């Protein structure tokens, strides 16, 4: 790893792939960070680069020119999934730290290649699971650890949206070659990772059922995943591209012997939402207050956490090996329990 830098230094970042996530969340977070700064942007679409509001950032249309820039110390990869592995390997070989959008990779083999490359290059790697950094989820993890919920018996997530084929002019998320799948590979990684984080537990088994029920594109538009954690807790995830946005569709629920925790509208790219506890005996529901200092953008928390580890010369809080394991878990679940009826 690189040696710790002076406290006043801000880590220089390039964002590679300037789609809506980068434009609306990653770039603003870098612009408002206390220990990171945006120095470069990269996208093969020159017109997309022009539309980005980022004064002072050098704009590139090729990754090679980004990696040749000495002011770039870390790279946020927000490209289509099939490019993650090769780009991570290139960044690592150039000595650039990597924060890569989920899913980390399309296959476990690619994920392992990414970790090996970063170890060989002596650079930090992390997967951009921004849900880990939402204030409500971090508070929930503390409540579970402190035993406020008692024994957690079940954990449930509903994380869904409406994603028609024409959602964007070039909707790579519904292209099996670029995305590696549909709703499941796109949305389920968040829930798999998040439940391990809040429970302080590890998935022991996982099966999945997928559907192509509403949209006519060649990938799944919905999935249900269920499994068990090492502790015995049961987990259920419902993810979808076929759920109208007007419905309640972003919930996380933990059932415990002392209390039930319900996080509503906390899963997503923004701060806010609500977190409540329902007492097992009285049925009384109480709301957990989060201060403005806590409840900042999860992308901002994520980038500052990653940058702090690099600048201080300490490991990232979540091991890349864990991320590789989750890619393998999802891949095995997809191939062992898949059901994929045609759209009618």
């Amino acid at each position: 790893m690189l040696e710790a830098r002076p406290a006043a230094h801000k880590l220089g970042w390039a964002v590679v792939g300037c789609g809506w996530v980068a434009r609306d969340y990653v770039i603003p977070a870098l612009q408002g960070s206390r220990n990171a700064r945006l120095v470069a942007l990269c996208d093969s679409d020159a017109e997309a680069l022009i539309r980005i509001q980022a004064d002072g950032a050098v704009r590139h249309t090729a990754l090679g020119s980004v990696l040749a820039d000495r002011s770039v110390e870390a790279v946020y990869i927000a490209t289509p999934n099939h490019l993650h592995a090769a780009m991570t390997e290139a960044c690592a070989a150039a000595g650039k730290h990597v924060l890569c959008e989920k899913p980390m990779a399309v296959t476990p083999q690619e994920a392992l290649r990414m970790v090996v490359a970063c170890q060989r290059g002596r650079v930090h790697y992390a997967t951009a699971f921004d849900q880990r950094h939402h204030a409500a989820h971090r508070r929930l993890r503390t409540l579970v650890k402190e035993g406020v919920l008692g024994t957690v018996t079940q954990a449930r997530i509903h994380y869904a949206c409406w994603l028609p084929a024409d959602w964007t002019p070039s909707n790579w998320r519904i292209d099996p070659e670029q995305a590696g799948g549909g709703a499941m590979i796109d949305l389920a990684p968040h829930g798999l990772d998040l439940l391990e984080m809040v429970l302080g537990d590890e998935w022991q088994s996982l099966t999945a059922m997928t559907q192509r029920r509403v949209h006519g594109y060649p990938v799944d538009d919905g999935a249900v995943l269920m499994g068990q954690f090492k502790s015995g807790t049961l987990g259920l995830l419902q993810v979808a591209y076929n759920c109208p946005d007007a419905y309640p569709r972003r919930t996380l629920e933990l059932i415990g012997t002392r209390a039930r925790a319900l996080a509503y509208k906390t899963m997503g790219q923004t701060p806010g939402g609500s977190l409540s506890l329902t007492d097992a005996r009285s049925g009384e529901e109480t709301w957990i207050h989060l201060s403005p200092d806590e409840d900042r953008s999860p992308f901002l928390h994520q980038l500052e956490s990653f940058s702090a580890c690099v600048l201080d010369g300490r490991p990232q809080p979540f091991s890349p090996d864990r991320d590789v394991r989750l890619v393998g878990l999802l891949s095995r679940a997809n191939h062992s329990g898949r059901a994929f009826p045609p759209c009618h």
Side-chain angles (χ1 to χ4, degrees):
M1 296 297 177
L2 299 180
E3 296 179 357
R5 296 164 174 79
H9 180 78
K10 286 189 173 185
L11 195 69
W13 282 84
V15 176
V16 178
C18 295
W20 68 277
V21 170
R23 181 192 68 228
D24 296 346
Y25 302 106
V26 180
I27 291 170
L30 285 168
Q31 292 169 329
S33 172
R34 295 170 293 198
N35 63 359
R37 61 193 179 96
L38 177 65
V39 299
L41 298 171
C42 180
D43 198 287
S44 58
D45 183 348
E47 293 185 4
L49 287 173
I50 294 172
R51 293 192 293 268
I52 300 292
Q53 299 293 319
D55 294 339
V58 181
R59 294 158 204 255
H60 305 274
T61 55
L63 179 62
S65 58
V66 173
L67 301 183
D69 187 341
R70 297 185 64 181
S71 68
V72 174
E73 298 168 279
V75 177
Y76 193 108
I77 297 176
T79 62
N81 303 338
H82 73 301
L83 300 175
H84 290 180
M87 285 189 165
T88 296
E89 290 174 313
C91 291
K96 312 298 185 183
H97 306 283
V98 177
L99 181 57
C100 181
E101 265 294 339
K102 59 79 213 162
M104 175 186 186
V106 174
T107 68
Q109 293 78 17
E110 287 183 346
L112 184 58
R113 277 173 41 199
M114 293 163 69
V115 172
V116 170
C118 290
Q119 291 172 341
R120 185 182 299 122
R122 298 176 62 81
V123 297
H124 287 251
Y125 173 85
T127 304
F129 286 121
D130 55 280
Q131 303 298 319
R132 295 172 178 170
H133 300 272
H134 192 289
H137 301 156
R138 296 193 297 179
R139 178 68 66 85
L140 185 55
R141 181 185 190 182
T142 299
L143 293 171
V144 171
K145 187 176 181 179
E146 292 176 347
V148 174
L149 276 65
T151 299
V152 179
T153 59
Q154 295 192 25
R156 299 195 285 261
I157 281 179
H158 182 211
Y159 188 42
C161 63
W162 183 259
L163 191 82
D166 60 355
W167 183 62
T168 60
S170 179
N171 192 0
W172 62 262
R173 285 175 173 79
I174 63 170
D175 180 347
E177 296 301 320
Q178 295 186 78
M184 187 167 81
I185 196 172
D186 185 28
L187 301 177
H190 272 308
L192 294 176
D193 173 78
L194 181 57
L195 288 182
E196 285 203 349
M197 192 277 285
V198 298
L199 294 173
D201 206 345
E202 185 176 309
W203 289 98
Q204 181 171 269
S205 63
L206 187 72
T207 60
M209 296 287 287
T210 61
Q211 64 181 177
R212 185 157 60 89
R213 180 70 172 161
V214 174
H215 301 298
Y217 41 65
V219 295
D220 59 284
D221 62 6
V224 174
L225 301 89
M226 57 184 178
Q228 191 164 37
F229 291 84
K230 287 186 173 181
S231 66
T233 300
L234 298 177
L236 177 67
L237 279 73
Q238 295 172 275
V239 297
Y241 283 165
N242 56 28
C243 178
D245 289 340
Y247 297 161
R249 56 189 174 82
R250 291 190 289 146
T251 58
L252 187 164
E253 183 180 27
L254 301 183
I255 305 297
T257 54
R258 293 181 180 174
R260 181 202 74 159
L262 179 64
Y264 179 55
K265 291 187 176 181
T266 58
M267 296 194 67
Q269 292 78 29
T270 58
S274 62
L275 175 61
S276 67
L277 294 177
T278 300
D279 184 81
R281 292 188 176 182
S282 67
E284 180 181 358
E285 186 174 24
T286 58
W287 301 91
I288 305 299
H289 173 71
L290 299 170
S291 71
D293 289 340
E294 291 178 283
D295 200 20
R296 300 186 301 157
S297 160
F299 284 87
L300 180 57
H301 277 300
Q302 176 176 246
L303 286 159
E304 289 188 340
S305 172
F306 185 98
S307 298
C309 289
V310 173
L311 294 170
D312 295 344
R314 53 187 169 84
Q316 296 294 323
F318 295 93
S319 167
D321 294 335
R322 175 180 181 275
D323 298 345
V324 174
R325 175 176 54 78
L326 288 177
V327 172
L329 184 75
L330 184 61
S331 178
R332 290 190 299 274
N334 185 33
H335 288 93
S336 66
R338 193 175 187 189
F340 200 76
C343 179
H344 298 294

